[in-house]
Structures are given as structure tokens and as C-alpha cells.
């Protein structure tokens, strides 16, 4: 994962749009989120946009379109192949979490598609599970598009403003302090992710 993010951070121009869009699409369509969560790529893309290497507006548009399109492909895979896709090797060790996601979609219905967009594991699985449950595609598409819009724009701007904040701290307090602040933010995000995943398992 570190090598992928390091490689992405060195890109510029159309390559950033292509790589970030592809990672977001693959996370939703092909369960690629087990390798690299799409939100990581989006936040890093936002940081790159802050550096002026790409447009933050076009990046947000690419992310939203990739999220909606990837979810639609994931939905179609679930609708066409049904529960059989849950037997693939990469998913066998996540049976409990898959059951949680299926229960979530039973209880929340279409709203689970929107809410699942903001939880890493659910984001990768929810489209296929919606297809398996035979949710009507127009309903799925509506909630999928709303979730993709809020998530895509939100995480792109998170990366963009995080990069801006880093520059301001570096300018006023020096590189050392800026690095300390960056480390604190990263640690806080890691702690938040760990607590969130523990909550999902409970």
C-alpha cells in the first residue's frame, strides 16, 4: 500500500485523474478496497490538487463519476451472479462482516447504499449486496449517486485543504513543526479507523 501511495504522489496531470479514478472504480466494482481503500487515493489526489498539479474541480468530478460507475458495475455483478460471488477466496475470511452488511441492507434498505459509502468495507461490498438482494436499480442508482457525490467531493476537499493547512503551518512555524502536525493528524486518522472497525465487528 505504501508503494502505491508513494507512486501516486509522484504523478501529475492526466495520470492523476486516471489513477485515482481507476482505484475508486475498482474498489467498488471489483472489491479492490481490500488492497487500497479508495478514500486514501482520493485524499492523496486532493493533496496533489492543492499543489497545482491537477484541478480540484475536475478531480472531484472524476471521483464522483468513478464512484457511481464502479458501484453500478458492482451492483450488476451481484444481481447477475448472486450469492456465489461471496464464496470467492478473498471474501471467505470476512464472513462475519459480510453478514453484518447484509443485515444492514435488510434493515436500512436503500439508505444503506448511501450510508455504506462512508464505511470502507461496506463501500466495497454494498453494491454487490444490493444487486444480490434484487433492489430496484433506479432506487439503487439514486442513493448511490447521492452517496458518491457527498463522499467524492468531501474526501477530495479533505485532501485539498489538508495540503493547504500543511503549507500554512510550514510557512509560519517551519518544516519541523509542520511534520509534527502532519504526524499527529495521521495518527488521529489511524486511531479513528481502528475504533471504527472495532465498532463494526462488535
Amino acid at each position: 500500500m505504501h508503494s502505491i501511495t508513494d507512486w501516486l504522489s509522484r504523478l501529475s496531470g492526466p495520470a492523476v485523474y486516471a489513477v485515482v479514478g481507476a482505484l475508486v472504480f475498482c474498489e467498488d466494482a471489483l472489491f479492490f478496497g481490500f488492497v487500497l481503500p479508495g478514500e486514501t487515493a482520493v485524499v492523496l489526489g486532493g493533496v496533489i490538487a492543492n499543489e497545482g498539479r491537477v484541478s480540484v474541480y475536475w478531480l472531484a468530478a472524476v471521483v464522483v463519476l468513478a464512484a457511481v460507475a464502479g458501484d453500478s458495475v458492482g451492483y450488476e455483478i451481484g444481481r447477475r451472479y448472486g450469492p456465489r460471488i461471496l464464496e470467492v477466496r478473498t471474501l471467505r475470511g470476512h464472513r462475519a462482516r459480510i453478514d453484518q452488511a447484509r443485515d444492514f441492507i435488510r434493515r436500512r434498505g436503500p439508505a444503506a447504499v448511501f450510508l455504506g459509502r462512508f464505511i470502507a468495507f461496506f463501500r466495497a461490498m454494498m453494491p454487490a449486496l444490493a444487486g444480490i438482494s434484487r433492489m430496484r436499480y433506479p432506487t439503487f442508482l439514486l442513493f448511490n449517486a447521492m452517496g458518491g457525490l457527498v463522499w467524492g467531493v468531501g474526501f477530495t476537499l479533505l485532501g485539498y485543504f489538508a495540503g493547504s493547512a500543511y503549507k500554512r503551518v510550514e510557512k509560519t512555524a517551519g518544516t519541523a513543526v509542520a511534520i509534527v502536525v502532519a504526524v499527529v493528524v495521521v495518527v488521529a486518522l489511524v486511531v479513528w479507523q481502528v475504533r471504527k472497525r472495532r465498532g463494526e465487528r462488535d
Side-chain angles (χ1 to χ4, degrees):
M1 176 173 170
H2 175 73
S3 59
I4 296 176
T5 56
D6 184 59
W7 171 64
L8 177 58
S9 68
R10 293 196 297 267
L11 299 178
S12 61
V16 175
Y17 301 125
V19 172
V20 173
L23 290 173
V24 171
F25 178 88
C26 290
E27 175 186 44
D28 301 332
L30 307 172
F31 317 127
F32 199 63
F34 295 113
V35 179
L36 176 67
E39 63 192 24
T40 303
V42 175
V43 170
L44 186 54
V47 173
I48 293 172
N50 180 266
E51 297 173 353
R53 287 187 274 164
V54 295
S55 164
V56 68
Y57 304 107
W58 281 112
L59 180 65
V62 168
V63 169
V64 172
L65 289 174
V68 174
D71 276 359
S72 293
V73 172
Y75 171 91
E76 183 61 25
I77 290 173
R79 189 191 68 80
R80 180 163 298 186
Y81 296 103
R84 286 178 296 170
I85 65 172
L86 302 180
E87 300 302 322
V88 299
R89 183 179 303 177
T90 56
L91 298 179
R92 289 175 187 168
H94 300 276
R95 178 59 57 188
R97 299 176 73 185
I98 290 173
D99 289 342
Q100 284 182 337
R102 299 184 77 171
D103 180 63
F104 186 41
I105 204 169
R106 279 194 295 268
R107 290 185 292 107
R108 298 286 185 173
V113 175
F114 177 86
L115 297 172
R117 163 58 57 183
F118 301 91
I119 305 172
F121 181 82
F122 285 12
R123 183 167 57 251
M125 291 302 306
M126 197 59 70
L129 294 177
I132 291 172
S133 68
R134 299 291 174 176
M135 181 183 295
R136 293 179 63 252
Y137 180 71
T139 301
F140 169 82
L141 181 60
L142 173 62
F143 284 84
N144 170 37
M146 290 191 299
L149 178 63
V150 175
W151 178 85
V153 173
F155 276 92
T156 300
L157 292 179
L158 175 62
Y160 184 83
F161 289 120
S164 179
Y166 179 88
K167 287 181 179 178
R168 286 198 299 270
V169 172
E170 183 180 32
K171 182 177 180 180
T172 59
T175 304
V177 175
I179 292 174
V180 171
V181 171
V183 169
V184 170
V185 171
V186 170
V187 170
L189 286 173
V190 170
V191 171
W192 175 70
Q193 284 283 347
V194 170
R195 288 183 175 179
K196 184 175 69 173
R197 290 182 180 180
R198 285 179 179 173
E200 293 171 11
R201 290 196 295 267
D202 294 339

